Amino acid sequence: MTDTLIPHILALDTAQEDCGAAILLADGSLFMHVEHVGSRHSERLLPMVRDLIHEAGIEKTDLGLIAFGEGPGSFTGLRVACGAAQGLAWALEVPVAQVSNLEALAEWLRETHLEAVRPGTRIAVLNDARMHECYTGTFERAEENAAPIEVRAPELVKPEMLTHYLEEIGVDAVAGTALSAYPDEICIPEGIRLIETEQVNAEDIVRLAAVMYAHGQTVDPHLAAPLYVRNRVALTIE
């Protein structure tokens, strides 16, 4: 990581049925709230942010970066987090970090499983996408303290096709919520390490946002956008 001074960061995550927000202060202190809200993200997110700012003992104007989980995830949920992040960042005149929910899990693994995830390790993140599909993305751990490098962009894969996916890319380890969602259909090839994890939360988002900020990987608020992997999901009824 560079010597860039990291500001106070607010992260929002509404990609799944949980609604979460986290604040990482410049001194490393972390504050986080998470609630299981189903589809009520728009009702709970901003009150949660207000309470979190009060708990952290800062003013809203002290924030120097707004981050959000860009997805892949719930179509409506992603729009809530993106819209809130854009509005706050625009009002505060600060940049936005749009953080891949899949990459955030890969970063968490890099920090918590040092022996299993050494430099050069390829990690496939497999998350439940409902509708009998998985969100997949593959990342490689590069240099120390650097964000994971994307090897294969997020896409939708059927559980029964994941064996081919993992072998084709040359994955060393796998993690994600799809492993528990489809235990009888996902066959992990021999030699690939299975790492048990839970769903990504706002803490994972805010910590990766700090890494991204240090490496200049932020955008102006008007350029922020959700990551939609399942195209035109709102029109699937037709």
Side-chain angles (χ1 to χ4, degrees), residues 99-152:
V99 180
S100 162
N101 286 70
L102 300 178
E103 185 177 347
L105 180 53
E107 170 66 7
W108 179 82
L109 291 171
R110 182 188 71 80
E111 292 186 347
T112 58
H113 292 69
L114 298 180
E115 292 301 317
V117 187
R118 299 187 179 191
T121 300
R122 284 194 172 184
I123 308 163
V125 179
L126 317 173
N127 277 350
D128 182 17
R130 305 293 180 90
M131 299 172 67
H132 201 72
E133 292 178 311
C134 306
Y135 294 126
T136 67
T138 300
F139 306 88
E140 185 170 306
R141 181 182 178 188
E143 61 189 73
E144 295 289 339
N145 298 320
I149 297 173
E150 183 179 87
V151 175
R152 186 147 168 171

Side-chain angles (χ1 to χ4, degrees), residues 3 15-16 24 35 39 46 62 72 85 87 89 95 122 128 132 134 136 144 158 178-179 182 185 195 210 225 228:
D3 294 329
Q16 303 296 332
L24 181 64
E35 294 180 15
S39 59
L46 292 182
D62 294 329
R122 284 194 172 184
D128 182 17
H132 201 72
C134 306
T136 67
E144 295 289 339
K158 293 286 187 181
L179 298 170
Y182 307 105
E185 299 175 68
I195 303 176
Y228 297 130

